[in-house]
Amino acid sequence: MIKKAFFEAAFVVFGVVLALAANEWREGRADRAEARDALAAIHEEIRLNRDMVAEAISAHEARLVAIGDPTTAALPDMSAFSDGFMKPATALSTAAWDSAAQTGIFSHMEFETVRKLGTLYAHQDRYHDQVSSYASLIYETLYRDGYQSIFGNKRGLLTMIRTLKYQEEALLGVYDTFLTGLEG
């Protein structure tokens, strides 16, 4: 009788442990699937951001050509600046990254992937901060002294645009490195 009760108790314990293990396996599988989905969304977000940065580089190259020689007093062709003195990538998204961070998905991804993503988004934030700083400076000067004053300091405008273009090229490289690493 005691042997039978012991055997039944052991069988129940084994069943509970087996059920817990199966449940944990299912949860782990679901967590890994969520992590894959989040990484796919982040991957797409980075692709879209990359395209916007590539467009900004082209726009800044055109503006540099339009400004021309900084030692001349001649105003550049104003049509090149019809949409602003700078044309940065201002709509860079962080929605997929932020969602993954807020839902704790990163705990189900490889640490190195999360570290690389963190570095990428930090680089993107620094670019955004630089754009905001330059925009404030330009708008302040524009409202205070008029658009002629912006072109009166061609060297300063060239420096700002070259700096943004440099940062955009660096950001493009970060995007490409990450995207290549995911595909390779």
Side-chain angles (χ1 to χ4, degrees):
M1 181 85 152
I2 289 181
K3 264 185 164 180
K4 186 178 178 182
F6 179 74
F7 178 73
E8 287 177 6
F11 191 69
V12 168
V13 168
F14 177 73
V16 168
V17 168
L18 187 62
L20 289 172
N23 189 46
E24 189 162 322
W25 175 81
R26 270 192 310 275
E27 286 178 5
R29 188 172 172 201
D31 290 343
R32 287 187 298 280
E34 283 182 3
R36 276 191 307 274
D37 292 346
L39 191 56
I42 290 169
H43 184 264
E44 183 60 23
E45 179 173 81
I46 291 169
R47 278 189 188 285
L48 294 172
N49 288 351
R50 185 214 178 276
D51 292 345
M52 283 186 271
V53 168
E55 288 177 25
I57 291 170
S58 295
H60 286 139
E61 286 172 348
R63 280 166 173 73
L64 290 171
V65 169
I67 293 170
D69 184 0
T71 61
T72 65
L75 289 178
D77 177 11
M78 295 305 290
S79 65
F81 300 91
S82 62
D83 56 351
F85 292 102
M86 299 181 306
K87 188 70 173 155
T90 56
L92 299 179
S93 178
T94 62
W97 166 258
D98 293 340
S99 295
Q102 291 173 1
T103 57
I105 295 295
F106 292 140
S107 65
H108 305 292
M109 289 184 188
E110 291 182 21
F111 173 78
E112 190 59 22
T113 300
V114 176
R115 187 194 64 75
K116 287 177 182 177
L117 283 168
T119 301
L120 182 149
Y121 280 95
H123 195 116
Q124 187 173 288
D125 288 343
R126 285 190 302 276
Y127 170 73
H128 181 266
D129 291 346
Q130 188 71 51
V131 167
S132 295
S133 174
Y134 283 174
S136 293
L137 183 62
I138 286 175
Y139 289 127
E140 178 184 319
T141 303
L142 184 64
Y143 290 128
R144 185 184 62 231
D145 303 325
Y147 77 92
Q148 294 88 350
S149 66
I150 301 291
F151 290 119
N153 184 3
K154 284 185 183 180
R155 286 184 199 272
L157 184 58
L158 283 168
T159 299
M160 281 190 223
I161 294 172
R162 285 181 183 138
T163 301
L164 283 180
K165 185 176 171 274
Y166 173 81
Q167 288 184 351
E168 289 158 353
E169 290 168 342
L171 187 55
L172 196 67
V174 172
Y175 288 149
D176 287 344
T177 298
F178 184 78
L179 293 170
T180 302
L182 282 180
E183 294 165 358

